[in-house]
Each structure stands twice: as C-alpha cells, then as structure tokens.
DNA sequence: AGTTAAACCTGGTTGC
DNA sequence: TGCAACCAGGTTTAAC
C-alpha cells in the first residue's frame, strides 16, 4: 500500500511529536514480518530522536543519556499505517494493532491488517539487521545526484521490463504499483519496454515524470485505496487523480483509447496501449 | 548475475 | 444467502 508519498506523509506526521519523546513502554501484537529483535521492555527509557525515511522504510533513532542507542526500522508493508495518539493512556489496541511505542507524550501505534509490515530494532542504521535491507535500495527519487544521465546509465544495465525495474527499487526507490503506472503513463512509455531500450531523452522524461507524480501525490497526502491513513486518521486524495491506475476500460485521458490492464511483474499494470510507446 | 516466481497475511469484492 | 475465487499500496527469499 504505502509507497513513498504515503510513507513521507507518515514521517512528517510523527517526526515532530516523536522528537525528544521518552519511551515508557512498548507493546507487541501479532507477529509482523520479522521479530522485533529485542525485548520490548529494553526500549523503555530511550529518547526518540525523530523520524527519518529511506525509500519506504522509516527509521526512529533512539538515544540514552545523549548517546546513540540503536533505533527502530519500520516498514508499512501493504496495509500498514501509523497513528499518533497524543496524551497519556491510549485507547485499547484493536485486533490489527500490532505495535505500540508508548512515550511520555503519546503513543505511536502501528495498524497493519495483513502484517507484511515490520518493526525491527537495530543497533545502528548501518549495522545488521537494518543495513542489509537498505543496502539494495536505489537512489532517492529527489536526490539531485540522480541526474538524467545517471538514471539512463542505470537503466542501460537492466534488461527487465521498465515496470519491473521501477517496482523493485534497485535503480530508484519510492514508486510502488500506483506511481510506477502513473509515471510511465505521464512519460508515455510502455510498461513492458525493456529498461535498456529506453533512450536518453525518454529516460530523462521518465525521471521527471516520476518526480512530478510523487511530488503531486505528496501534496495531496498520498493515496488511500483502502487501508492507508495519515497519523491523524485522515485519508489521502491522490487516488481520485490517477490517470490510469485502477481504470481499465475507461478512456485514456490523453488519446481516448480504452485503458488496458495486464499483469506484469506479478502486479496489475494499467496503461494505454495506444499512446504509451515501446 | 540477473530475472522471475513463491511466499508471507487478512479482508473486501465479485461471481456462480 | 453461501461459498469459492480473485484482488489489494510490498519485498524478502527461493528457484530458474
């Protein structure tokens, strides 16, 4: 579910409240993707430094007596969302609330019905178990170091369909199924086109389209198909602006041809076969 | 080494 | 109404 815009909306919602908050307790619900990696009680007394993001991961640095004390790596998976519940006693956790970080300012609660999400304690961001998960990630989409030339060069090394390359995050992180479809449509590139067949100008156009799409989604608070909500429980608004995602059979906004749906890289792919060129 | 499929879960929607 | 089949924002892990 949550792609980069949703994760960033979440980060912005919790960074302020969490910065400087002291952990009082941690509670686990049903198992998530991996075990937490430490006894929940050992988190008590730590001070949360805020919230950072890398790809679709969130990192909450912890400190004790002003010294780094590891942190929590969070992933929202397909159906996860975080809520910030200010004040003392938070409400009873529901059946899909699988992690509470109780602080002196409020409770950070992970809600994740499908439990593909994760909360993982790691001694540092560049140490196991966090580091191996982040090691394979490509560039941040808004990193100025990701120039059109570098993006094109990275695509030249990949023979897989461009849709699959965008989804796996090995070149650039942040796009999931919705925004990969939308960016390819905006750049008028066919999702099945091999990445190494994309010309330099078209790669530049795709990078710009990806950035524009992610930025627009961010400004709208992300997309809410079903589960996602921001930390106050609010829904995103981008889904109603989607040009192609979830719109099979409806007319292409650019050329009017009926939009197609085809499974690619194990995911439903929405595109216009008429104006997204190979 | 690079690419593709299977697996992890729950719940909502669709169709017989 | 009941029930099976299919679908959903991700990505690690295993298998070609």
């Amino acid at each position: 579910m949550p792609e980069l815009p949703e994760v960033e909306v979440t980060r912005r919602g919790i960074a302020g409240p969490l910065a400087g908050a002291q952990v009082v307790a941690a509670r686990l619900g049903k198992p998530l993707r991996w075990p937490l990696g430490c006894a929940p009680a050992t988190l008590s007394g730590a001070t949360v430094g805020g919230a950072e993001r890398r790809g679709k991961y969130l990192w909450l640095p912890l400190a004790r007596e002003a010294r780094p004390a590891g942190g929590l790596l969070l992933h929202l998976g397909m159906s996860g969302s975080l809520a910030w519940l200010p004040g003392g006693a938070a409400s009873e956790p529901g059946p899909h609330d699988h992690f509470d970080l109780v602080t002196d300012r409020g409770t950070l609660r992970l809600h994740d019905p499908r439990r593909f999400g994760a909360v993982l304690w790691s001694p540092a961001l560049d140490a196991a178990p966090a580091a191996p998960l982040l090691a394979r990630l490509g560039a941040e989409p808004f990193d100025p170091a990701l120039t059109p030339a570098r993006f094109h060069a990275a695509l030249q090394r990949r023979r897989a369909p461009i849709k699959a390359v965008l989804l796996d995050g090995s070149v650039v992180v942040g796009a999931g199924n919705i925004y990969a479809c939308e960016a390819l449509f905006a750049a008028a590139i066919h999702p099945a086109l091999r990445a190494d067949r994309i010309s330099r100008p078209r790669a530049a156009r795709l990078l710009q389209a990806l950035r524009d799409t992610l930025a627009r989604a961010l400004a709208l608070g992300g997309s809410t198909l079903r589960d996602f909500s921001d930390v106050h429980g609010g829904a995103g608004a981008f889904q109603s602006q989607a040009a192609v995602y979830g719109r099979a059979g409806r007319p292409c906004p650019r050329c009017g041809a009926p939009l197609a749906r085809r499974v690619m890289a194990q995911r439903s792919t929405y595109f216009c076969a008429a104006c997204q060129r190979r």
Side-chain angles (χ1 to χ4, degrees), chain A residues 5-260:
Chain A
E6 292 77 27
V7 177
E8 179 61 17
V9 163
T10 300
R11 190 198 67 78
R12 292 178 184 180
I14 62 174
L18 277 182
Q22 192 165 49
V23 178
V24 173
R27 182 200 64 85
L28 293 172
K30 286 187 182 176
L32 295 163
R33 176 182 280 276
W34 300 293
L36 177 60
C38 72
T42 63
L43 299 173
S44 298
T47 301
V48 187
E52 298 157 22
R53 181 189 59 74
R54 174 74 176 100
K56 299 171 190 171
Y57 287 94
L58 290 170
W59 172 248
L60 311 183
L62 300 175
R64 287 178 191 278
E65 289 154 19
R67 297 191 173 178
L72 293 172
L73 190 71
L74 277 65
H75 198 290
L76 300 180
M78 285 279 257
S79 57
S81 60
L82 287 172
W84 176 251
L85 311 167
S91 55
E92 273 302 295
H96 300 304
D97 296 329
H98 302 304
F99 179 73
D100 276 357
L101 189 68
V102 184
T103 77
D104 56 349
R105 296 181 185 170
T107 298
L108 182 70
R109 173 167 290 174
L110 175 69
H111 177 85
D112 186 5
R114 293 178 73 180
R115 293 192 278 128
F116 289 171
V119 182
L120 201 53
W121 184 84
S122 187
L125 201 49
D126 59 1
L133 297 172
L134 304 181
R136 62 189 79 191
L137 298 184
E140 283 292 324
F142 295 107
D143 184 348
L146 181 64
T147 61
R150 283 174 178 273
F151 183 57
H152 179 246
L155 295 184
Q156 287 299 109
R157 286 178 231 117
R158 304 294 302 274
R159 319 171 69 148
I162 183 61
K163 168 76 187 302
V165 172
L166 287 180
L167 274 186
D168 76 19
S170 56
V171 171
V172 58
V173 296
N177 206 30
I178 296 178
Y179 303 119
C181 289
E182 293 298 315
L184 286 168
F185 172 78
I189 293 173
H190 196 291
L193 178 61
R194 273 172 49 159
D196 61 355
R197 298 262 173 83
I198 296 178
S199 68
R200 168 84 192 262
R202 296 188 85 196
R205 204 171 156 198
L206 177 56
L207 179 58
Q208 192 57 52
L210 178 63
R211 287 173 165 162
D212 290 347
T213 301
L214 294 176
R216 200 153 56 88
L218 193 48
L220 288 169
S223 298
T224 298
L225 293 190
R226 171 171 292 131
D227 298 297
F228 178 72
S229 59
D230 64 30
V231 299
H232 309 296
F238 181 87
Q239 67 280 359
S240 64
Q241 310 248 317
V244 293
Y245 184 84
R247 300 181 63 82
R250 310 209 47 177
C252 168
R254 188 162 46 215
C255 76
L259 295 171

